[in-house]
Amino acid sequence: MTRAPSPIPVYWVLAALTITSAPHLIAMPAWLATLFLLMVAWRALAANRAWSAPPALLRLTISVILLVLVVVASGGHFSRRAATTLLCMMMAAKLMEMFSPRDLRLVAALSFFMMTAQFLFNERLVYLVYLALGAWTATMALISIQQQQTVTLLSPKLAKTEQLARQGRQAAMMIVLALPVAALLFVLFPRLASPLWGLPQQSMDGRTGLSDELTAGSIANLFLDDSPALRVEFPDGQPPPVEDRYWRGPVLTELDGSTWRRSSRADQSSPLPEAGVGEEFEHRVQLEPHERRWLFALDHPRSGPEDSRLTTTRELLSRNPVTTLTQYDVRSVSSPFGPSDLPVSARAYYLALPQDRNPRTRAFADELRDRFPDDESGLVAYVLEWFRTEPFRYSLATAPLGRHNADEFLFDLRDGYCEYYASAFAILMRAADIPSRVVLGYMGGDWQEGGEYLLVRQSDAHAWTEVWIDGSGWVRVDPTAAVSPDRIDYGARGAIREPRHVLDNEWLRNLRNRLDRAQHTWNRWILGFDADRQMRMLERLGLPRGSHTTLAIMMVAGLALATLILAVLLWRRDLKRPRSEVERAWRLLLARLRRHGLTKQAAETPLEFAQRAEKELGPKALDFGRLARWYHHAHYGQSHPPLEKRFLAAARKFRPV
Amino acid sequence: MTEAPAQRIVEDHFSALQQARAEVNRVIVDKAEVVDFAFTALLAGGHLLIEDLPGVGKTTLAHAMSISLGGSWQRIQFTNDMLPADIVGVSVFHRDEASFEFRPGPVFANVVLADEINRATPRTQSALLEAMAEGQVTVDGQTHSLPQPFFVIATQNPLDMVGTYPLPDSQLDRFLLRTRIGYPSQAEERRLLTEPDRRTYLADLKPSLNPEAVLALADQAARLHVSEPVLDYIQALIAATRSHAAIRVGLSPRAGLALIRTARAHAFLNRSDFCTPESVKTVFPGLAAHRLQVQPESGLSSEDIIDEILSATAVP
């Protein structure tokens, strides 16, 4: 009996593979993704037409070609993305030999793997939904294969839709049953304090975060990006006042033409400067991956997490690039005390300007210096006032600037956003002999009432300046605030009255905030459950900290328990509720016999079972034979209370052996 | 107080039934299940089809049954040149009285042995099958009732033998039960070979029952108590035939009714005053095997599938 196998399991496996590969497909070059889909389509057609596998040589050739294509597509650069692309294409190649139940099962199982590979790139909450869908489809594929293989003669012959519904429920049930085990593994599986292997970089999928350069106009695209950049919690539950919410990132000290850059020496560590004064803010930051090393912190960070350090410009740098959602505690002070004097060499460094640029700005700076000799604070205040009174505007619609960028902006254009102001202001200050630097970071953040955290979005990206005032040290000056206080009070969105894009309305923003609160909870409890928290949990349970053995023992015990509970549940589900007192007593009888190694088969009638029991147990079972006959009459015969009573009494007393 | 005498009469009938059963078992040694099937079919008011090779004792069984039941009996040897009239009878014109007279055919008997039914043409087969279904025959517009009880034991050679007209599937369920006799055991075969011909026993056979008693017993059997668990079991078995992957057409509701009727008769025959799951189990193969249409490509026989269903269906 050679029947052509039904193509249905193949369809399910292909569906599972496609769904679980979808995020990878979206990220890989379109032509490769198309190739992948073509392979899937070919395999579906082959299943439909009952074609057999292509010859081995052809399979090998195509596989090699696919391999070469992946290498070409990745430019020979082995990144995480290239690795998953390779995985996808090799799965596509596997489809060519997926012609036996074993291979089908393999591909279905690998679909689960494809799905988890996505977590290398993205650990966002929404992926949970996708994960559920992928897991369900892959499970359906496995069930479908199983169904196909055990052409069970007894398997009910159902209408297609009914069968589908039944399998669907079964798949969902399997996933639900697996959840406790997954939860257990999640909590107890030993976590490593650092990643097992160095992940290749670049996981941002081309999304832009803050860069470490500033050319007027480079942040603009971020204003449209409402995705979260960081979330901040405060132990005392109170966020700092709105005007102090400056999340400090890279500090740009070198002006190269019209581009501000970080110092090449900035990464060098510096001894921690003196403690600052003013209010101290302790906060915990959840930082979305951004592929760079800086950790954003409230201006100014005083101490950061263990594997980070402060640079001379008071950037908080992580040891490794932030490629996954990272959580850390920071302590900041509102106004730091730097060294009382800036060394001459440093002073020159912070005053350096390209020579042949911005003549008008220089002239204006000379003028200012003459008006405020030895009064840097007065000069700064005057310039800010000048920004306020002159017709400067805050706007996202700006013109590109040319060679004399500060000149053009300060005297002609006067229309721009934070980058323009920060860059021009810093140049003006340097020209006026006041050391200055540009700071990139985020400004503001929405306080999330329900979640008690501050949500800072990419669109909160900001640039401001710091100037050196003798006796005060580096002082934060935000020229944008002078021009557009709204930018500070309401964020970039508030400063620009008209909606930035069609999706920019109140209702959607609320929805997004709500979703972000869910995401935050997820980050905090699931992604944030690291080695440290795991150990703290152990400690709270009164177990030795740092003991992987304890974890392992707990894990094994927990798994055994979960399996046991599951087995009992399944076993109990198998038994229908007893119909009567008599039937209940009978089942207890059977349970007692089972403990003595004698189990009634479901298809055995009580009398048949009694006969077998007598044969197997010998004279010991004589009593049972009598009980079985009574039960036979009480259960199948007409109601006869005295007999039932007699049976119940005897059944209670019955002990095998 | 008519119940007590009535009860006693039934009890008398019942012991007569057991005696008849014992008598037949004396003739057909070692085939108690087949004999039970025959009596079960009789009590359930149905007919029995015995399917086996020639020479295993089909005719002897039918003959013994008919004698011990005490009613009239007829034997019809089916051949391929037989006409329906050879079975149901003909109307003969009497010149003297200038009228037609109905000459009943061999089907007019309490027990009819239809030997090798599949040798006859389908037309002739259906004449018998219709008589079995309706309990009456119609000849020239005249309807004639068959005697009660009316019990047909048909024998049939396995279908792959040459020169046969297999009964159509739709006609098979006119038979309540179908069974096989099978070869005798070693010891029994030896006795067959050494002892006098079994058929000589038939001559000594005394009728134990009479038609009225059979009807009364059948009536009694039909009223046997069937409990909820047994009904559940019957329904589970029927449902299993309908959902089985290798079965094209499962058991019909009529087959379900027949199963209850047969199980009752079987339980009654075995001295139970309620329908037992054991009886259901015992009669189920005989009742279901010829009613099921198996997917030919499954490579299974309906007997295999029924065994599988029985061993997989839980007894409530």
Side-chain angles (χ1 to χ4, degrees):
Chain A
M1 24 184 269
T2 49
R3 257 190 296 180
S6 152
I8 307 277
V10 179
Y11 296 156
W12 274 110
V13 171
L14 293 177
L17 182 64
T18 312
I19 288 176
T20 53
S21 309
H24 306 294
L25 294 180
I26 292 166
M28 69 172 74
W31 57 273
L32 265 180
T34 311
L35 256 178
F36 179 93
L37 292 175
L38 278 177
M39 296 287 282
V40 170
W42 166 81
R43 186 62 190 88
L45 191 67
N48 186 273
R49 301 283 159 84
W51 292 341
S52 52
L57 192 64
L58 182 64
R59 294 203 304 256
L60 183 67
T61 317
I62 293 179
S63 302
V64 170
I65 290 173
L66 286 176
L67 180 66
V68 170
L69 287 179
V70 171
V71 172
V72 168
S74 63
H77 178 71
F78 194 74
S79 64
R80 236 184 294 176
R81 192 43 86 187
T84 51
T85 306
L86 180 66
L87 183 63
C88 277
M89 296 322 284
M90 288 302 107
M91 289 299 286
K94 177 76 190 163
L95 294 181
M96 289 185 298
E97 59 170 21
M98 189 183 74
F99 281 84
S100 70
R102 181 189 158 277
D103 284 320
L104 275 170
R105 205 169 283 138
L106 182 71
V107 175
L110 283 173
S111 294
F112 285 100
F113 183 72
M114 298 298 292
M115 196 161 50
T116 42
Q118 181 55 24
F119 280 97
L120 293 174
F121 302 96
N122 198 325
E123 299 178 309
R124 292 170 60 79
L125 182 59
V126 283
Y127 271 89
L128 207 58
V129 178
Y130 156 75
L131 184 76
L133 177 71
W136 181 81
T137 324
T139 312
M140 275 300 272
L142 286 173
I143 290 178
S144 183
I145 299 163
Q146 188 64 32
Q147 186 94 0
Q148 164 94 16
Q149 242 195 336
T150 51
V151 179
T152 46
L153 295 167
L154 262 189
S155 57
K157 188 176 60 186
L158 298 167
K160 279 220 173 79
T161 49
E162 201 184 331
Q163 184 165 355
L164 201 66
R166 184 182 278 217
Q167 290 179 351
R169 274 197 305 273
Q170 198 182 355
M173 191 65 199
M174 283 165 92
I175 292 171
V176 169
L177 286 178
L179 282 182
V181 177
L184 196 77
L185 287 175
F186 170 77
V187 174
L188 294 178
F189 198 84
R191 277 171 177 64
L192 299 158
S194 55
L196 245 181
W197 61 87
L199 288 171
Q201 298 210 1
Q202 289 217 343
S203 63
M204 289 276 285
D205 292 341
R207 276 207 354 258
T208 50
L210 271 184
S211 79
D212 57 353
E213 292 185 349
L214 186 149
T215 313
S218 63
I219 303 184
N221 54 353
L222 283 183
F223 289 134
L224 300 175
D225 182 1
D226 276 340
S227 61
L230 50 140
R231 300 179 185 78
V232 194
E233 288 174 62
F234 301 90
D236 53 0
Q238 281 306 310
V242 174
E243 63 271 17
D244 279 341
R245 292 179 191 164
Y246 282 87
W247 309 100
R248 209 164 180 275
V251 178
L252 314 183
T253 53
E254 289 174 4
L255 182 61
D256 172 15
S258 51
T259 302
W260 287 91
R261 294 186 203 286
R262 284 180 79 220
S263 158
S264 48
R265 292 171 302 160
D267 285 357
Q268 287 166 10
S269 193
S270 75
L272 286 183
E274 296 299 306
V277 293
E279 217 179 331
E280 204 169 79
F281 278 100
E282 215 182 312
H283 53 289
R284 168 171 294 174
V285 180
Q286 254 180 26
L287 181 59
E288 293 283 332
H290 61 82
E291 306 295 336
R292 314 285 176 135
R293 289 173 52 205
W294 45 79
L295 304 172
F296 293 90
L298 200 61
D299 200 13
H300 304 261
R302 215 183 95 188
S303 64
E306 263 172 44
D307 53 350
S308 72
R309 58 193 173 77
L310 282 166
T311 65
T312 44
T313 55
R314 282 186 167 260
E315 294 166 310
L316 192 57
L317 283 188
S318 153
R319 187 173 300 145
N320 299 304
V322 180
T323 52
T324 57
L325 190 95
T326 307
Q327 185 164 296
Y328 50 90
D329 292 318
V330 195
R331 198 179 278 270
S332 293
V333 285
S334 55
S335 49
F337 245 77
S340 58
D341 208 13
L342 202 59
V344 179
S345 64
R347 194 176 175 85
Y349 175 73
Y350 284 116
L351 286 175
L353 278 178
Q355 277 312 306
D356 50 347
R357 289 179 182 232
N358 300 314
R360 279 192 281 171
T361 306
R362 282 166 188 279
F364 181 52
D366 288 343
E367 196 183 306
L368 288 172
R369 214 168 29 196
D370 291 345
R371 273 176 71 175
F372 297 94
D374 299 326
D375 182 8
E376 287 115 339
S377 308
L379 195 152
V380 169
Y382 175 80
V383 173
L384 292 180
E385 187 56 32
W386 181 73
F387 273 132
R388 222 176 321 242
T389 47
E390 292 289 314
F392 280 97
R393 277 196 338 124
Y394 185 84
S395 164
L396 286 183
T398 54
L401 297 176
R403 181 176 169 78
H404 304 296
N405 58 336
D407 279 10
E408 287 170 36
F409 180 70
L410 289 177
F411 303 107
D412 303 331
L413 185 64
R414 299 191 161 185
D415 218 18
Y417 49 90
C418 55
E419 288 185 329
Y420 290 76
Y421 288 100
S423 170
F425 183 77
I427 292 172
L428 180 62
M429 287 301 111
R430 285 194 177 189
D433 253 355
I434 300 177
S436 65
R437 58 196 189 191
V438 173
V439 184
L440 292 183
Y442 298 92
M443 160 72 210
D446 290 339
W447 181 248
Q448 303 290 319
E449 268 316 325
E452 306 301 317
Y453 67 97
L454 201 64
L455 170 62
V456 181
R457 302 172 186 285
Q458 291 296 349
S459 56
D460 289 322
H462 193 49
W464 62 93
T465 60
E466 283 174 353
V467 295
W468 177 270
I469 308 288
D470 279 333
S472 306
W474 288 106
V475 175
R476 181 179 71 218
V477 179
D478 187 356
T480 318
V483 178
S484 170
D486 282 354
R487 166 67 185 87
I488 309 308
D489 291 344
Y490 303 112
R493 288 187 300 279
I496 302 155
R497 300 290 175 196
E498 64 275 12
R500 291 161 303 152
H501 46 82
V502 277
L503 293 179
D504 198 19
N505 67 52
E506 191 62 30
W507 184 83
L508 268 178
R509 237 172 284 153
N510 276 341
L511 178 71
R512 258 204 305 264
N513 281 345
R514 207 163 290 223
L515 287 178
D516 193 80
R517 282 201 283 278
Q519 176 71 41
H520 174 251
T521 312
W522 166 257
N523 290 350
R524 183 174 171 172
W525 294 107
I526 307 297
L527 302 184
F529 191 81
D530 51 12
D532 187 47
R533 278 213 189 178
Q534 191 178 36
M535 287 305 157
R536 263 185 289 166
M537 182 200 72
L538 280 189
E539 222 165 43
R540 223 169 299 146
L541 292 175
L543 294 161
R545 191 185 165 92
S547 160
H548 280 186
T549 323
T550 319
L551 281 180
I553 291 171
M554 282 175 72
M555 202 162 70
V556 170
L559 284 180
L561 189 70
T563 315
L564 192 74
I565 290 173
L566 222 73
V568 168
L569 283 180
L570 287 176
W571 177 68
R572 282 188 64 90
R573 208 187 53 162
D574 240 26
L575 297 176
K576 280 212 206 103
R577 257 159 34 82
R579 211 183 297 267
S580 62
E581 197 62 30
V582 169
E583 197 171 343
R584 201 193 320 276
W586 172 251
R587 288 200 184 160
L588 286 174
L589 269 182
L590 294 183
R592 267 176 235 149
L593 280 175
R594 199 160 34 233
R595 259 171 263 144
H596 285 80
L598 194 65
T599 308
K600 176 184 168 301
Q601 302 301 314
E604 265 179 329
T605 68
L607 293 183
E608 285 168 349
F609 176 56
Q611 235 168 22
R612 188 162 64 87
E614 273 167 37
K615 223 178 284 168
E616 289 184 21
L617 293 186
K620 281 187 291 184
L622 277 181
D623 275 354
F624 179 69
R626 190 168 44 108
L627 276 172
R629 274 189 295 283
W630 285 351
Y631 175 69
H632 174 78
H633 279 91
H635 188 55
Y636 299 117
Q638 264 161 316
S639 172
H640 188 48
L643 173 69
E644 285 162 25
K645 253 184 229 152
R646 203 159 35 158
F647 169 73
L648 287 175
R652 259 194 294 279
K653 271 183 272 170
F654 175 77
R655 292 286 176 279
V657 182
Chain B
M1 293 300 285
T2 54
E3 200 170 330
Q7 185 65 34
R8 201 170 56 241
I9 292 168
V10 168
E11 274 168 20
D12 289 347
H13 288 166
F14 191 77
S15 46
L17 172 69
Q18 296 304 340
Q19 199 191 330
R21 189 186 180 195
E23 293 278 321
V24 177
N25 270 322
R26 219 156 47 81
V27 180
I28 316 291
V29 185
D30 207 28
K31 294 288 173 203
E33 301 102 57
V34 181
V35 173
D36 271 12
F37 262 34
F39 277 95
T40 300
L42 171 75
L43 289 174
H47 309 284
L48 179 70
L49 176 65
I50 302 174
E51 194 174 83
D52 220 323
L53 297 163
V56 290
K58 293 177 298 218
T59 313
T60 315
L61 169 68
H63 201 165
M65 280 290 290
S66 58
I67 294 173
S68 63
L69 293 186
S72 56
W73 95 280
Q74 287 282 355
R75 175 187 165 155
I76 312 171
Q77 175 62 53
F78 279 64
T79 56
N80 56 7
D81 57 353
M82 219 172 197
L83 293 174
D86 296 330
I87 292 168
V88 297
V90 285
S91 289
V92 182
F93 185 71
H94 279 273
R95 201 173 299 167
D96 309 347
E97 293 156 34
S99 66
F100 282 99
E101 191 206 9
F102 179 64
R103 290 248 178 96
V107 78
F108 284 82
N110 290 119
V111 178
V112 176
L113 170 61
D115 231 352
E116 299 189 280
I117 186 172
N118 55 341
R119 289 213 178 277
T121 56
R123 199 157 79 99
T124 311
Q125 286 172 359
S126 37
L128 175 70
L129 295 168
E130 274 170 44
M132 284 161 54
E134 280 148 38
Q136 60 187 29
V137 292
T138 302
V139 177
D140 293 344
Q142 291 276 316
T143 301
H144 308 277
S145 289
L146 295 168
Q148 288 293 326
F150 175 60
F151 179 46
V152 175
I153 300 177
T155 71
Q156 167 165 271
N157 288 336
L159 302 179
D160 52 352
M161 303 247 320
V162 181
T164 60
Y165 301 88
L167 285 175
D169 285 344
S170 56
Q171 303 276 34
L172 272 175
D173 75 342
R174 302 278 182 229
F175 291 98
L176 186 65
L177 293 172
R178 183 185 71 171
T179 186
R180 299 206 157 98
I181 292 186
Y183 293 117
S185 64
Q186 283 280 331
E188 176 53 21
E189 183 117 50
R190 174 59 63 97
R191 279 174 62 191
L192 278 175
L193 294 173
T194 53
E195 286 178 14
D197 191 338
R198 286 279 144 192
R199 272 169 290 186
T200 58
Y201 286 85
L202 287 173
D204 304 337
L205 214 55
K206 297 274 179 330
S208 313
L209 281 161
N210 55 64
E212 291 72 36
V214 171
L215 287 177
L217 287 167
D219 181 55
Q220 193 76 9
R223 281 187 277 159
L224 225 53
H225 172 72
V226 185
S227 63
E228 290 286 319
V230 173
L231 285 172
D232 282 350
Y233 185 46
I234 287 172
Q235 277 194 298
L237 288 174
I238 291 168
T241 67
R242 289 175 191 165
S243 60
H244 197 287
I247 294 179
R248 193 137 40 103
V249 182
L251 289 183
S252 64
R254 186 165 71 187
L257 284 169
L259 179 55
I260 292 189
R261 197 149 47 97
T262 319
R264 274 176 160 145
H266 188 269
F268 179 76
L269 181 70
N270 286 285
R271 302 182 173 85
S272 176
D273 51 6
F274 53 88
C275 182
T276 65
E278 287 81 8
S279 289
V280 176
K281 237 183 183 180
T282 312
V283 301
F284 186 65
L287 183 113
H290 60 294
R291 285 177 162 90
L292 296 177
Q293 293 182 32
V294 179
Q295 304 270 22
E297 65 269 27
S298 72
L300 294 166
S301 72
S302 55
E303 281 85 355
D304 296 338
I305 295 170
I306 282 166
D307 278 353
E308 193 189 312
I309 288 175
L310 278 177
S311 62
T313 307
V315 181

